[in-house]
Amino acid sequence: MFSHWDGKWYVQIATSGYSYPNDGDHHSVAFYPLFPLLMRGLMTFGIPVEVAGVLINSWAFLGALELVYFWVEQ
């Protein structure tokens, strides 16, 4: 459920890397590497790829909320 739309591309990049066969279809090279790299890092600890993605998204969201809070507080 959590790996729809762009999530499938990030899962593919985190598990098997970037690929670009010249077949005229959509490819994973259009996505930035930080998110799949962090997912891959969590996967080294035995965490499944979908759980790693949800954890990273949640931590990024909490960090953004904290930044916005301190920005608005000023």
Side-chain angles (χ1 to χ4, degrees):
M1 181 173 134
F2 292 112
S3 60
H4 292 296
W5 294 325
D6 289 347
K8 70 176 185 169
W9 293 105
Y10 286 116
V11 168
Q12 177 187 349
I13 295 167
T15 55
S16 59
Y18 286 96
S19 64
Y20 187 72
N22 194 6
D23 59 0
D25 201 10
H26 300 287
H27 302 289
S28 61
V29 295
F31 296 93
Y32 293 111
L34 181 61
F35 184 61
L37 183 65
L38 293 173
M39 288 171 62
R40 184 67 175 226
L42 284 181
M43 287 170 52
T44 60
F45 295 110
I47 297 173
V49 65
E50 288 86 4
V51 175
V54 170
L55 285 174
I56 293 168
N57 276 326
S58 299
W59 292 333
F61 178 69
L62 290 175
L65 281 178
E66 187 175 355
L67 285 173
V68 168
Y69 172 78
F70 287 120
W71 178 55
V72 171
E73 187 179 45
Q74 288 180 359

